[in-house]
Amino acid sequence: MTEQVTLEITIKAAIIKGGNKVLLIKRAKDARLNPGKYDLPGGHIEIGEDFEEALGREIREEVKIEVKIGPIISAASFKENKKGLRYLAFYRGGEVKLSKAHDSYEWLEIGEAIKKLSDKGFESEKKETLKKAKEYLEMKNSVANWQRSLADFENYKKQQAENQKEFTKFAAENIIHQILPVLDNFHASTDHIPEDQKDSPWVAGIMHIQKQLEDVLKENGVEEIKAKAGDKFDHNVHEAIQTDTKETNINTKKTNKIIKIIKKGYKIGDRIIRPVSVIVE
């Protein structure tokens, strides 16, 4: 007849608080096993429990705090029929209140906690668990730092692209502002060509150059702001360089209507490059 062997599994957790501190508890001096030794919260699995359910229960019974249970970070083997699973857990809240099996606790920086534990006996396995926890957290932090660096680099590229767009826009606007006075001069000339000279070759050449300048502006998204005499003055797109008020009697009122266009205005989309210069009545 085959002898049945009962497998005993213990579960414990390295509970992390604030990213770099771990909870160490110390067994009571009158404890039946390993009195006065440092330990990690945890215990045994009861019938019908799964691992994480049992670990959560043991933590509540031993230290009365709430945690979020993380991954398994190591497995320990003590005897042929006794094994241990070691988890990482993260403090969620509550004040540490020890069960009768323990008489003190400390939140320690994980490296400091490792130094407190013995390399031999009962504490040695807890020490190895904390080393695994430290390695895991360092790996996670390295990945998080790499992800942050990658995100920072992506943000840098986006910012550089935006800066380049702004620079290009500024450079284009600077050129446009230099072209507009030249175009104004063409308009001043071509708007007053005598009727008997409009079909002459030199006039056709000037008009062609004027058209080329206008096409360059259009290709760069520049539009003329439409305005004519009789339109109501709009300070958003018009600039009044002169007000012509005819005071025929004491009750004369301004109409705020444009009576003459002095200089054409231009825009790119909704952005005003130069307002229309007008005389307002």
Side-chain angles (χ1 to χ4, degrees), residues 172 176 211-223 268:
I176 288 165
K211 176 77 166 51
Q212 284 182 313
L213 287 174
E214 291 171 342
D215 288 344
V216 168
L217 294 179
K218 286 180 182 178
E219 288 169 5
N220 284 275
V222 180
E223 300 177 66
I268 297 178

Side-chain angles (χ1 to χ4, degrees), residues 11-31:
I11 46 172
K12 292 181 181 289
I15 301 176
I16 305 300
K17 179 181 179 181
N20 66 344
K21 288 190 175 181
V22 66
L23 178 63
L24 279 186
I25 56 179
K26 183 176 280 190
R27 287 180 176 253
K29 293 178 181 178
D30 59 355

